[in-house]
């Protein structure tokens, strides 16, 4: 399995924001979000080939019950099913962070589902060569439904502007029934200033619709740095 990094940090996003966690970040992604904040797993993938045993050994080095499997897109990693089963069999709580475009028979305690909106399509990057494939693949409703069948889930949308709200509403119509408190709206941005410019109006949207506002705590704590 190609692994970009394994590190101990504070979960910055979602229902478990603020909780110390060990992150396993796979390298490789089937999408190319224009604002991807981990380009070393997508646009210019880096990483080292690791066996599941060696990944688990690294996780064991940290005295931490919560594990987050993220990417890149972890669902395209060979052996991800076995990795998730063994993490949970070891008594740890596992969050999977996925764009939910590919289904694998995995296990987890929290499915963190991040469907990508039209604001992610890279029309202006590298001559737009990835844009059409990205746009076709970025939302897979049946796959999202499968991930929503886990006992706990969150639907996390990266919001760039108020124009995104109509698209979110249309998607939620297709994903009904859903728990509004499990719908998370997160501002797009990798600096405190970018986030601050969006926090206020996005919080108002959450208040009016009963959604959960999703800060990017790690940006406030560490900035846009690797292994955080
Ligand atoms: S799905 Fe995630 S890792 Fe892949 S390109 Fe988009 S933001 Fe980056």
């Amino acid at each position: 399995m190609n692994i970009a990094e394994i590190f101990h940090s504070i979960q910055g996003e979602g229902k478990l924001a603020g909780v110390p966690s060990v992150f396993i970040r796979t390298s490789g992604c089937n999408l190319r979000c224009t604002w991807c904040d981990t380009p070393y797993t997508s646009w210019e993938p880096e990483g080292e080939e690791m066996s599941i045993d060696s990944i688990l050994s690294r996780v064991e080095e940290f005295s931490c019950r919560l594990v987050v499997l993220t990417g890149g897109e972890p669902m395209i990693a060979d052996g991800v099913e076995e990795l998730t089963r063994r993490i949970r069999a070891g008594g740890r709580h596992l969050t999977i962070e996925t764009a939910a475009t590919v289904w694998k028979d995995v296990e987890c305690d929290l499915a963190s589902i991040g469907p990508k909106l039209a604001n992610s399509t890279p029309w202006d990057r590298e001559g737009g060569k990835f844009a059409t494939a990205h746009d076709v693949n970025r939302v897979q409703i049946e796959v999202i439904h499968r991930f929503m069948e886990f006992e706990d889930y969150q639907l996390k949308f990266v919001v760039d502007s108020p124009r995104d709200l109509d698209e979110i509403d249309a998607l939620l119509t297709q994903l009904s029934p859903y728990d509004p408190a499990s719908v998370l709206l997160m501002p797009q941005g990798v600096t405190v200033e970018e986030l601050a410019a969006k926090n206020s109006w996005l919080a108002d949207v959450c208040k009016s619709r009963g959604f959960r506002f999703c800060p990017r705590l790690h940006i406030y704590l560490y900035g846009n740095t690797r292994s955080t």
Side-chain angles (χ1 to χ4, degrees):
M1 189 175 289
N2 197 11
I3 300 296
E5 52 191 354
I6 298 174
F7 58 94
H8 188 212
S9 189
I10 299 287
Q11 173 60 283
E13 302 173 357
K15 292 179 174 178
L16 294 174
V19 183
S21 306
V22 176
F23 292 78
I24 304 168
R25 188 186 301 286
T26 62
S27 190
C29 189
N30 57 334
L31 299 180
R32 291 293 184 279
C33 300
T34 191
W35 38 252
C36 180
D37 59 355
T38 56
Y40 52 95
T41 68
S42 56
W43 289 91
E44 292 157 13
E46 304 169 13
E48 78 176 288
E49 217 34 60
M50 293 180 72
S51 67
I52 290 175
D53 284 341
S54 57
I55 294 168
L56 294 173
S57 294
R58 287 288 305 280
V59 170
E60 292 285 339
E61 291 173 14
F62 306 101
S63 174
C64 187
R65 195 177 80 81
L66 271 74
V67 175
V68 181
L69 179 61
T70 187
E73 175 48 73
M75 291 305 104
I76 65 170
D78 286 340
V80 67
E81 303 95 323
E82 181 185 344
L83 177 62
T84 63
R85 275 193 286 278
R86 291 181 61 184
I87 290 170
R88 293 190 75 243
R92 287 184 163 78
H93 176 286
L94 178 63
T95 300
I96 293 178
E97 296 187 340
T98 174
T101 57
V102 176
W103 171 254
K104 291 271 183 71
D105 189 18
V106 290
E107 291 188 11
C108 71
D109 299 283
L110 172 62
S112 182
I113 308 161
K116 298 299 180 275
L117 303 177
N119 67 33
S120 66
T121 303
W123 299 108
D124 298 327
R125 284 189 69 167
E126 299 196 9
K129 68 180 180 184
F130 292 107
T132 301
H134 176 98
D135 218 36
V136 166
N137 292 322
R138 64 185 171 80
V139 175
Q140 302 294 330
I141 293 294
E142 287 310 313
V143 179
I144 297 172
H145 274 294
R146 293 293 298 270
F147 279 101
M148 288 172 70
E149 289 171 11
F150 282 105
E151 193 169 329
D152 198 7
Y153 73 88
Q154 58 192 21
L155 281 165
K156 187 172 64 179
F157 295 102
V158 177
V159 184
D160 202 30
S161 79
R163 290 189 301 275
D164 297 332
L165 298 176
D166 286 348
E167 187 182 0
I168 292 171
D169 285 338
L171 274 174
L172 289 174
T173 299
Q174 296 181 76
L175 296 173
S176 191
Y178 58 87
D179 170 18
S182 293
V183 176
L184 283 59
L185 302 189
M186 184 171 77
Q188 194 283 114
V190 293
T191 66
V192 170
E193 293 73 24
E194 283 178 305
L195 297 176
K198 296 168 185 167
N199 282 346
S200 179
W201 63 262
L202 197 54
D204 285 344
V205 173
C206 291
K207 281 162 62 182
S208 68
R209 303 192 187 199
F211 298 157
R212 189 183 297 234
F213 178 80
C214 180
R216 305 197 75 204
L217 185 57
H218 52 301
I219 298 292
Y220 292 91
L221 288 172
Y222 307 113
N224 186 29
T225 54
R226 276 178 80 151
S227 299
T228 56

PDB file of all heavy atoms in Angstrom, residues 110-124:
ATOM      1  N   LEU A 110     -16.648   5.602  12.066  1.00  0.00           N
ATOM      2  CA  LEU A 110     -17.199   6.857  11.543  1.00  0.00           C
ATOM      3  C   LEU A 110     -16.801   6.977  10.076  1.00  0.00           C
ATOM      4  O   LEU A 110     -15.607   6.981   9.760  1.00  0.00           O
ATOM      5  CB  LEU A 110     -16.657   8.060  12.336  1.00  0.00           C
ATOM      6  CG  LEU A 110     -17.005   9.446  11.781  1.00  0.00           C
ATOM      7  CD1 LEU A 110     -18.522   9.679  11.783  1.00  0.00           C
ATOM      8  CD2 LEU A 110     -16.309  10.541  12.590  1.00  0.00           C
ATOM      9  N   ALA A 111     -17.817   7.043   9.219  1.00  0.00           N
ATOM     10  CA  ALA A 111     -17.556   7.271   7.798  1.00  0.00           C
ATOM     11  C   ALA A 111     -17.639   8.770   7.543  1.00  0.00           C
ATOM     12  O   ALA A 111     -18.708   9.372   7.690  1.00  0.00           O
ATOM     13  CB  ALA A 111     -18.583   6.526   6.944  1.00  0.00           C
ATOM     14  N   SER A 112     -16.515   9.362   7.200  1.00  0.00           N
ATOM     15  CA  SER A 112     -16.470  10.798   6.910  1.00  0.00           C
ATOM     16  C   SER A 112     -16.493  10.949   5.391  1.00  0.00           C
ATOM     17  O   SER A 112     -15.494  10.708   4.717  1.00  0.00           O
ATOM     18  CB  SER A 112     -15.209  11.419   7.511  1.00  0.00           C
ATOM     19  OG  SER A 112     -15.201  12.798   7.256  1.00  0.00           O
ATOM     20  N   ILE A 113     -17.657  11.332   4.889  1.00  0.00           N
ATOM     21  CA  ILE A 113     -17.929  11.299   3.450  1.00  0.00           C
ATOM     22  C   ILE A 113     -17.813  12.721   2.905  1.00  0.00           C
ATOM     23  O   ILE A 113     -18.530  13.615   3.359  1.00  0.00           O
ATOM     24  CB  ILE A 113     -19.358  10.763   3.204  1.00  0.00           C
ATOM     25  CG1 ILE A 113     -19.558   9.426   3.939  1.00  0.00           C
ATOM     26  CG2 ILE A 113     -19.646  10.633   1.725  1.00  0.00           C
ATOM     27  CD1 ILE A 113     -21.036   9.062   4.131  1.00  0.00           C
ATOM     28  N   GLY A 114     -16.933  12.908   1.940  1.00  0.00           N
ATOM     29  CA  GLY A 114     -16.717  14.256   1.410  1.00  0.00           C
ATOM     30  C   GLY A 114     -17.009  14.351  -0.070  1.00  0.00           C
ATOM     31  O   GLY A 114     -16.061  14.441  -0.882  1.00  0.00           O
ATOM     32  N   PRO A 115     -18.292  14.361  -0.453  1.00  0.00           N
ATOM     33  CA  PRO A 115     -18.591  14.503  -1.892  1.00  0.00           C
ATOM     34  C   PRO A 115     -18.052  15.830  -2.403  1.00  0.00           C
ATOM     35  O   PRO A 115     -18.154  16.850  -1.731  1.00  0.00           O
ATOM     36  CB  PRO A 115     -20.129  14.491  -1.930  1.00  0.00           C
ATOM     37  CG  PRO A 115     -20.578  14.024  -0.586  1.00  0.00           C
ATOM     38  CD  PRO A 115     -19.506  14.390   0.376  1.00  0.00           C
ATOM     39  N   LYS A 116     -17.488  15.798  -3.585  1.00  0.00           N
ATOM     40  CA  LYS A 116     -16.857  17.005  -4.122  1.00  0.00           C
ATOM     41  C   LYS A 116     -17.841  17.772  -5.016  1.00  0.00           C
ATOM     42  O   LYS A 116     -18.452  17.202  -5.926  1.00  0.00           O
ATOM     43  CB  LYS A 116     -15.596  16.630  -4.905  1.00  0.00           C
ATOM     44  CG  LYS A 116     -14.540  15.957  -4.028  1.00  0.00           C
ATOM     45  CD  LYS A 116     -14.073  16.866  -2.904  1.00  0.00           C
ATOM     46  CE  LYS A 116     -13.025  16.253  -1.987  1.00  0.00           C
ATOM     47  NZ  LYS A 116     -13.570  15.439  -0.894  1.00  0.00           N
ATOM     48  N   LEU A 117     -17.941  19.066  -4.745  1.00  0.00           N
ATOM     49  CA  LEU A 117     -18.853  19.929  -5.489  1.00  0.00           C
ATOM     50  C   LEU A 117     -18.188  20.422  -6.776  1.00  0.00           C
ATOM     51  O   LEU A 117     -16.976  20.228  -6.985  1.00  0.00           O
ATOM     52  CB  LEU A 117     -19.260  21.124  -4.621  1.00  0.00           C
ATOM     53  CG  LEU A 117     -19.920  20.775  -3.273  1.00  0.00           C
ATOM     54  CD1 LEU A 117     -20.193  22.050  -2.481  1.00  0.00           C
ATOM     55  CD2 LEU A 117     -21.207  19.983  -3.488  1.00  0.00           C
ATOM     56  N   ALA A 118     -18.978  21.120  -7.589  1.00  0.00           N
ATOM     57  CA  ALA A 118     -18.444  21.636  -8.861  1.00  0.00           C
ATOM     58  C   ALA A 118     -17.288  22.604  -8.643  1.00  0.00           C
ATOM     59  O   ALA A 118     -16.436  22.770  -9.522  1.00  0.00           O
ATOM     60  CB  ALA A 118     -19.572  22.314  -9.646  1.00  0.00           C
ATOM     61  N   ASN A 119     -17.234  23.221  -7.443  1.00  0.00           N
ATOM     62  CA  ASN A 119     -16.132  24.165  -7.180  1.00  0.00           C
ATOM     63  C   ASN A 119     -14.773  23.480  -7.166  1.00  0.00           C
ATOM     64  O   ASN A 119     -13.737  24.146  -7.131  1.00  0.00           O
ATOM     65  CB  ASN A 119     -16.377  24.952  -5.881  1.00  0.00           C
ATOM     66  CG  ASN A 119     -16.330  24.075  -4.633  1.00  0.00           C
ATOM     67  OD1 ASN A 119     -15.597  23.098  -4.563  1.00  0.00           O
ATOM     68  ND2 ASN A 119     -17.110  24.450  -3.614  1.00  0.00           N
ATOM     69  N   SER A 120     -14.754  22.146  -7.158  1.00  0.00           N
ATOM     70  CA  SER A 120     -13.484  21.402  -7.094  1.00  0.00           C
ATOM     71  C   SER A 120     -12.908  21.090  -8.473  1.00  0.00           C
ATOM     72  O   SER A 120     -11.750  20.680  -8.590  1.00  0.00           O
ATOM     73  CB  SER A 120     -13.694  20.080  -6.336  1.00  0.00           C
ATOM     74  OG  SER A 120     -14.552  19.211  -7.068  1.00  0.00           O
ATOM     75  N   THR A 121     -13.695  21.247  -9.521  1.00  0.00           N
ATOM     76  CA  THR A 121     -13.266  20.784 -10.849  1.00  0.00           C
ATOM     77  C   THR A 121     -12.135  21.660 -11.401  1.00  0.00           C
ATOM     78  O   THR A 121     -12.253  22.883 -11.444  1.00  0.00           O
ATOM     79  CB  THR A 121     -14.464  20.758 -11.815  1.00  0.00           C
ATOM     80  OG1 THR A 121     -15.478  19.922 -11.239  1.00  0.00           O
ATOM     81  CG2 THR A 121     -14.070  20.202 -13.167  1.00  0.00           C
ATOM     82  N   PRO A 122     -11.036  21.035 -11.816  1.00  0.00           N
ATOM     83  CA  PRO A 122      -9.826  21.798 -12.158  1.00  0.00           C
ATOM     84  C   PRO A 122      -9.795  22.272 -13.616  1.00  0.00           C
ATOM     85  O   PRO A 122      -8.878  21.920 -14.369  1.00  0.00           O
ATOM     86  CB  PRO A 122      -8.713  20.779 -11.881  1.00  0.00           C
ATOM     87  CG  PRO A 122      -9.330  19.463 -12.231  1.00  0.00           C
ATOM     88  CD  PRO A 122     -10.786  19.572 -11.836  1.00  0.00           C
ATOM     89  N   TRP A 123     -10.754  23.126 -13.970  1.00  0.00           N
ATOM     90  CA  TRP A 123     -10.792  23.601 -15.366  1.00  0.00           C
ATOM     91  C   TRP A 123      -9.549  24.404 -15.723  1.00  0.00           C
ATOM     92  O   TRP A 123      -9.131  24.446 -16.879  1.00  0.00           O
ATOM     93  CB  TRP A 123     -12.047  24.457 -15.598  1.00  0.00           C
ATOM     94  CG  TRP A 123     -13.320  23.713 -15.375  1.00  0.00           C
ATOM     95  CD1 TRP A 123     -14.193  23.862 -14.332  1.00  0.00           C
ATOM     96  CD2 TRP A 123     -13.864  22.665 -16.192  1.00  0.00           C
ATOM     97  NE1 TRP A 123     -15.246  22.979 -14.449  1.00  0.00           N
ATOM     98  CE2 TRP A 123     -15.075  22.243 -15.588  1.00  0.00           C
ATOM     99  CE3 TRP A 123     -13.452  22.049 -17.389  1.00  0.00           C
ATOM    100  CZ2 TRP A 123     -15.862  21.230 -16.128  1.00  0.00           C
ATOM    101  CZ3 TRP A 123     -14.254  21.035 -17.921  1.00  0.00           C
ATOM    102  CH2 TRP A 123     -15.436  20.643 -17.293  1.00  0.00           C
ATOM    103  N   ASP A 124      -8.946  25.058 -14.732  1.00  0.00           N
ATOM    104  CA  ASP A 124      -7.833  25.982 -15.016  1.00  0.00           C
ATOM    105  C   ASP A 124      -6.467  25.408 -14.673  1.00  0.00           C
ATOM    106  O   ASP A 124      -5.474  26.131 -14.711  1.00  0.00           O
ATOM    107  CB  ASP A 124      -8.036  27.295 -14.237  1.00  0.00           C
ATOM    108  CG  ASP A 124      -9.302  28.004 -14.667  1.00  0.00           C
ATOM    109  OD1 ASP A 124      -9.652  27.894 -15.862  1.00  0.00           O
ATOM    110  OD2 ASP A 124      -9.946  28.639 -13.814  1.00  0.00           O
TER     111      ASP A 124
END
